[in-house]
Amino acid sequence: ALVNLQGMQNKDDATITSIEQLTDMAWRPTHIGEMALDEDTRMFLQFNADGQAAGHAGCNRFFGSFELVETKLRFGPIGSTRMSCPEPAGSFEISFLEALDATQSAARVDSRLALRNEDGQSVLRFTSIDRVDP
């Protein structure tokens, strides 16, 4: 069955319940909230089996921890490099990192991933890409 991740709210069959559902690939964001991102964005998120997450937020690399307990996904403090970012990349980067901070759960259907806030609204939507070497 096809599931629309944009409007999905707490679909049990798609909710992430194991780290393996996150770590088998890297994720390129397609949307921050309802705002669509260009397909050629440099942004990506990668989850590692050791509970660490890392990626590129547009201008700067970021890193931090994450925890998945039952269906609750939370990021720990996120650190990043601090290069100056031209607009609109700087605004996208701030919005992307704020959305990670607001994440409470995740849902995955095939090559699509949605990170959701406490109200079950998608704050970030992704498509899968090949894992990136550090």
Side-chain angles (χ1 to χ4, degrees), residues 77-107:
I78 301 282
S80 71
T81 56
R82 293 286 182 208
M83 296 187 330
S84 177
C85 300
E87 290 302 327
S91 294
F92 291 159
E93 180 167 287
I94 290 168
S95 296
F96 178 80
L97 295 172
E98 287 175 348
L100 289 179
D101 189 51
T103 297
Q104 295 289 318
S105 65

mmCIF file of all heavy atoms in Angstrom, residues 77-107:
data_model
loop_
_atom_site.group_PDB
_atom_site.id
_atom_site.type_symbol
_atom_site.label_atom_id
_atom_site.label_comp_id
_atom_site.label_asym_id
_atom_site.label_seq_id
_atom_site.Cartn_x
_atom_site.Cartn_y
_atom_site.Cartn_z
ATOM 1 N N PRO A 77 22.276 17.046 21.635
ATOM 2 C CA PRO A 77 22.813 18.332 21.165
ATOM 3 C C PRO A 77 23.495 18.155 19.804
ATOM 4 O O PRO A 77 24.227 17.200 19.590
ATOM 5 C CB PRO A 77 23.829 18.715 22.233
ATOM 6 C CG PRO A 77 23.448 17.920 23.436
ATOM 7 C CD PRO A 77 22.813 16.658 22.919
ATOM 8 N N ILE A 78 23.209 19.073 18.905
ATOM 9 C CA ILE A 78 23.806 19.060 17.566
ATOM 10 C C ILE A 78 24.892 20.125 17.517
ATOM 11 O O ILE A 78 24.646 21.279 17.868
ATOM 12 C CB ILE A 78 22.748 19.364 16.476
ATOM 13 C CG1 ILE A 78 21.612 18.338 16.507
ATOM 14 C CG2 ILE A 78 23.380 19.470 15.096
ATOM 15 C CD1 ILE A 78 21.923 17.016 15.887
ATOM 16 N N GLY A 79 26.083 19.723 17.106
ATOM 17 C CA GLY A 79 27.173 20.663 16.891
ATOM 18 C C GLY A 79 27.410 20.815 15.407
ATOM 19 O O GLY A 79 26.988 19.983 14.602
ATOM 20 N N SER A 80 28.062 21.903 15.020
ATOM 21 C CA SER A 80 28.349 22.094 13.597
ATOM 22 C C SER A 80 29.570 22.973 13.422
ATOM 23 O O SER A 80 29.977 23.686 14.337
ATOM 24 C CB SER A 80 27.154 22.722 12.871
ATOM 25 O OG SER A 80 26.985 24.072 13.247
ATOM 26 N N THR A 81 30.124 22.905 12.216
ATOM 27 C CA THR A 81 31.155 23.867 11.854
ATOM 28 C C THR A 81 30.472 25.216 11.737
ATOM 29 O O THR A 81 29.240 25.293 11.727
ATOM 30 C CB THR A 81 31.837 23.457 10.533
ATOM 31 O OG1 THR A 81 30.839 23.330 9.518
ATOM 32 C CG2 THR A 81 32.580 22.131 10.681
ATOM 33 N N ARG A 82 31.230 26.295 11.658
ATOM 34 C CA ARG A 82 30.636 27.639 11.693
ATOM 35 C C ARG A 82 31.098 28.518 10.530
ATOM 36 O O ARG A 82 31.474 29.667 10.715
ATOM 37 C CB ARG A 82 30.981 28.321 13.018
ATOM 38 C CG ARG A 82 30.337 27.670 14.211
ATOM 39 C CD ARG A 82 28.878 28.016 14.215
ATOM 40 N NE ARG A 82 28.225 27.431 15.380
ATOM 41 C CZ ARG A 82 26.969 27.102 15.401
ATOM 42 N NH1 ARG A 82 26.222 27.270 14.350
ATOM 43 N NH2 ARG A 82 26.434 26.598 16.478
ATOM 44 N N MET A 83 31.029 27.989 9.321
ATOM 45 C CA MET A 83 31.372 28.799 8.156
ATOM 46 C C MET A 83 30.231 29.757 7.860
ATOM 47 O O MET A 83 29.066 29.450 8.090
ATOM 48 C CB MET A 83 31.636 27.910 6.944
ATOM 49 C CG MET A 83 32.827 27.014 7.120
ATOM 50 S SD MET A 83 33.324 26.062 5.658
ATOM 51 C CE MET A 83 31.854 25.787 4.757
ATOM 52 N N SER A 84 30.563 30.916 7.349
ATOM 53 C CA SER A 84 29.563 31.898 6.963
ATOM 54 C C SER A 84 28.780 31.373 5.765
ATOM 55 O O SER A 84 29.354 30.812 4.832
ATOM 56 C CB SER A 84 30.259 33.209 6.596
ATOM 57 O OG SER A 84 29.319 34.146 6.159
ATOM 58 N N CYS A 85 27.468 31.547 5.787
ATOM 59 C CA CYS A 85 26.606 31.024 4.731
ATOM 60 C C CYS A 85 25.896 32.160 4.017
ATOM 61 O O CYS A 85 25.238 32.980 4.659
ATOM 62 C CB CYS A 85 25.550 30.102 5.321
ATOM 63 S SG CYS A 85 26.189 28.683 6.191
ATOM 64 N N PRO A 86 25.967 32.193 2.696
ATOM 65 C CA PRO A 86 25.183 33.188 1.958
ATOM 66 C C PRO A 86 23.699 32.818 2.017
ATOM 67 O O PRO A 86 23.347 31.668 2.281
ATOM 68 C CB PRO A 86 25.720 33.073 0.532
ATOM 69 C CG PRO A 86 26.207 31.665 0.435
ATOM 70 C CD PRO A 86 26.720 31.315 1.804
ATOM 71 N N GLU A 87 22.856 33.782 1.766
ATOM 72 C CA GLU A 87 21.411 33.506 1.714
ATOM 73 C C GLU A 87 21.048 33.001 0.318
ATOM 74 O O GLU A 87 21.711 33.360 -0.637
ATOM 75 C CB GLU A 87 20.631 34.777 2.060
ATOM 76 C CG GLU A 87 20.745 35.168 3.513
ATOM 77 C CD GLU A 87 20.277 34.095 4.478
ATOM 78 O OE1 GLU A 87 19.351 33.333 4.163
ATOM 79 O OE2 GLU A 87 20.866 34.005 5.565
ATOM 80 N N PRO A 88 20.085 32.135 0.175
ATOM 81 C CA PRO A 88 19.189 31.662 1.220
ATOM 82 C C PRO A 88 19.709 30.434 1.959
ATOM 83 O O PRO A 88 19.043 29.927 2.851
ATOM 84 C CB PRO A 88 17.912 31.332 0.452
ATOM 85 C CG PRO A 88 18.417 30.836 -0.870
ATOM 86 C CD PRO A 88 19.647 31.682 -1.150
ATOM 87 N N ALA A 89 20.915 29.945 1.620
ATOM 88 C CA ALA A 89 21.445 28.731 2.241
ATOM 89 C C ALA A 89 21.520 28.849 3.763
ATOM 90 O O ALA A 89 21.232 27.894 4.479
ATOM 91 C CB ALA A 89 22.820 28.394 1.668
ATOM 92 N N GLY A 90 21.880 30.018 4.273
ATOM 93 C CA GLY A 90 21.973 30.205 5.719
ATOM 94 C C GLY A 90 20.639 30.021 6.412
ATOM 95 O O GLY A 90 20.555 29.382 7.468
ATOM 96 N N SER A 91 19.584 30.541 5.836
ATOM 97 C CA SER A 91 18.245 30.383 6.417
ATOM 98 C C SER A 91 17.774 28.939 6.340
ATOM 99 O O SER A 91 17.164 28.422 7.278
ATOM 100 C CB SER A 91 17.243 31.284 5.697
ATOM 101 O OG SER A 91 17.557 32.633 5.924
ATOM 102 N N PHE A 92 18.050 28.268 5.213
ATOM 103 C CA PHE A 92 17.682 26.860 5.081
ATOM 104 C C PHE A 92 18.400 26.031 6.134
ATOM 105 O O PHE A 92 17.819 25.134 6.737
ATOM 106 C CB PHE A 92 18.021 26.323 3.688
ATOM 107 C CG PHE A 92 17.181 26.882 2.577
ATOM 108 C CD1 PHE A 92 17.636 26.838 1.284
ATOM 109 C CD2 PHE A 92 15.938 27.450 2.809
ATOM 110 C CE1 PHE A 92 16.877 27.337 0.237
ATOM 111 C CE2 PHE A 92 15.166 27.960 1.774
ATOM 112 C CZ PHE A 92 15.647 27.894 0.478
ATOM 113 N N GLU A 93 19.684 26.336 6.342
ATOM 114 C CA GLU A 93 20.471 25.585 7.315
ATOM 115 C C GLU A 93 19.895 25.731 8.724
ATOM 116 O O GLU A 93 19.735 24.744 9.441
ATOM 117 C CB GLU A 93 21.925 26.052 7.276
ATOM 118 C CG GLU A 93 22.808 25.312 8.255
ATOM 119 C CD GLU A 93 24.272 25.563 7.996
ATOM 120 O OE1 GLU A 93 24.788 25.023 6.991
ATOM 121 O OE2 GLU A 93 24.885 26.275 8.786
ATOM 122 N N ILE A 94 19.560 26.944 9.117
ATOM 123 C CA ILE A 94 18.977 27.183 10.444
ATOM 124 C C ILE A 94 17.659 26.412 10.574
ATOM 125 O O ILE A 94 17.420 25.726 11.575
ATOM 126 C CB ILE A 94 18.768 28.689 10.691
ATOM 127 C CG1 ILE A 94 20.126 29.366 10.851
ATOM 128 C CG2 ILE A 94 17.894 28.930 11.919
ATOM 129 C CD1 ILE A 94 20.065 30.893 10.804
ATOM 130 N N SER A 95 16.816 26.472 9.563
ATOM 131 C CA SER A 95 15.524 25.771 9.590
ATOM 132 C C SER A 95 15.721 24.259 9.665
ATOM 133 O O SER A 95 15.000 23.565 10.396
ATOM 134 C CB SER A 95 14.693 26.122 8.362
ATOM 135 O OG SER A 95 14.357 27.487 8.368
ATOM 136 N N PHE A 96 16.691 23.747 8.929
ATOM 137 C CA PHE A 96 16.980 22.311 8.929
ATOM 138 C C PHE A 96 17.397 21.852 10.326
ATOM 139 O O PHE A 96 16.865 20.867 10.854
ATOM 140 C CB PHE A 96 18.076 22.016 7.897
ATOM 141 C CG PHE A 96 18.489 20.576 7.827
ATOM 142 C CD1 PHE A 96 17.718 19.659 7.132
ATOM 143 C CD2 PHE A 96 19.654 20.140 8.427
ATOM 144 C CE1 PHE A 96 18.107 18.328 7.045
ATOM 145 C CE2 PHE A 96 20.052 18.822 8.347
ATOM 146 C CZ PHE A 96 19.274 17.908 7.656
ATOM 147 N N LEU A 97 18.333 22.563 10.947
ATOM 148 C CA LEU A 97 18.811 22.177 12.276
ATOM 149 C C LEU A 97 17.729 22.340 13.336
ATOM 150 O O LEU A 97 17.622 21.518 14.251
ATOM 151 C CB LEU A 97 20.077 22.959 12.634
ATOM 152 C CG LEU A 97 21.284 22.663 11.740
ATOM 153 C CD1 LEU A 97 22.431 23.622 12.050
ATOM 154 C CD2 LEU A 97 21.738 21.212 11.865
ATOM 155 N N GLU A 98 16.901 23.368 13.217
ATOM 156 C CA GLU A 98 15.776 23.533 14.152
ATOM 157 C C GLU A 98 14.774 22.386 14.005
ATOM 158 O O GLU A 98 14.205 21.922 14.994
ATOM 159 C CB GLU A 98 15.087 24.874 13.933
ATOM 160 C CG GLU A 98 15.893 26.055 14.444
ATOM 161 C CD GLU A 98 15.259 27.405 14.130
ATOM 162 O OE1 GLU A 98 14.293 27.467 13.319
ATOM 163 O OE2 GLU A 98 15.746 28.406 14.688
ATOM 164 N N ALA A 99 14.561 21.921 12.779
ATOM 165 C CA ALA A 99 13.639 20.804 12.557
ATOM 166 C C ALA A 99 14.183 19.520 13.170
ATOM 167 O O ALA A 99 13.426 18.736 13.742
ATOM 168 C CB ALA A 99 13.378 20.626 11.061
ATOM 169 N N LEU A 100 15.501 19.306 13.079
ATOM 170 C CA LEU A 100 16.084 18.136 13.748
ATOM 171 C C LEU A 100 15.820 18.212 15.242
ATOM 172 O O LEU A 100 15.447 17.220 15.873
ATOM 173 C CB LEU A 100 17.592 18.049 13.487
ATOM 174 C CG LEU A 100 18.048 17.677 12.091
ATOM 175 C CD1 LEU A 100 19.568 17.665 12.020
ATOM 176 C CD2 LEU A 100 17.475 16.331 11.655
ATOM 177 N N ASP A 101 15.993 19.395 15.810
ATOM 178 C CA ASP A 101 15.781 19.590 17.240
ATOM 179 C C ASP A 101 14.329 19.339 17.645
ATOM 180 O O ASP A 101 14.062 18.879 18.749
ATOM 181 C CB ASP A 101 16.213 21.001 17.643
ATOM 182 C CG ASP A 101 16.233 21.187 19.138
ATOM 183 O OD1 ASP A 101 16.841 20.348 19.847
ATOM 184 O OD2 ASP A 101 15.626 22.169 19.613
ATOM 185 N N ALA A 102 13.387 19.608 16.759
ATOM 186 C CA ALA A 102 11.962 19.427 17.053
ATOM 187 C C ALA A 102 11.485 17.994 16.846
ATOM 188 O O ALA A 102 10.352 17.656 17.197
ATOM 189 C CB ALA A 102 11.128 20.371 16.182
ATOM 190 N N THR A 103 12.329 17.132 16.305
ATOM 191 C CA THR A 103 11.934 15.762 15.973
ATOM 192 C C THR A 103 11.577 14.951 17.215
ATOM 193 O O THR A 103 12.306 14.959 18.196
ATOM 194 C CB THR A 103 13.066 15.062 15.193
ATOM 195 O OG1 THR A 103 13.268 15.758 13.959
ATOM 196 C CG2 THR A 103 12.737 13.609 14.908
ATOM 197 N N GLN A 104 10.461 14.243 17.113
ATOM 198 C CA GLN A 104 10.000 13.350 18.182
ATOM 199 C C GLN A 104 9.791 11.912 17.697
ATOM 200 O O GLN A 104 9.769 10.990 18.503
ATOM 201 C CB GLN A 104 8.682 13.865 18.757
ATOM 202 C CG GLN A 104 8.796 15.192 19.449
ATOM 203 C CD GLN A 104 9.537 15.094 20.768
ATOM 204 O OE1 GLN A 104 9.323 14.163 21.532
ATOM 205 N NE2 GLN A 104 10.423 16.026 21.023
ATOM 206 N N SER A 105 9.605 11.730 16.388
ATOM 207 C CA SER A 105 9.396 10.396 15.834
ATOM 208 C C SER A 105 9.725 10.431 14.343
ATOM 209 O O SER A 105 9.956 11.499 13.776
ATOM 210 C CB SER A 105 7.960 9.919 16.053
ATOM 211 O OG SER A 105 7.058 10.731 15.340
ATOM 212 N N ALA A 106 9.732 9.252 13.751
ATOM 213 C CA ALA A 106 10.036 9.154 12.323
ATOM 214 C C ALA A 106 9.190 8.060 11.695
ATOM 215 O O ALA A 106 8.773 7.115 12.371
ATOM 216 C CB ALA A 106 11.516 8.860 12.116
ATOM 217 N N ALA A 107 8.964 8.201 10.404
ATOM 218 C CA ALA A 107 8.250 7.186 9.637
ATOM 219 C C ALA A 107 8.988 6.979 8.329
ATOM 220 O O ALA A 107 9.536 7.919 7.758
ATOM 221 C CB ALA A 107 6.814 7.630 9.371
#
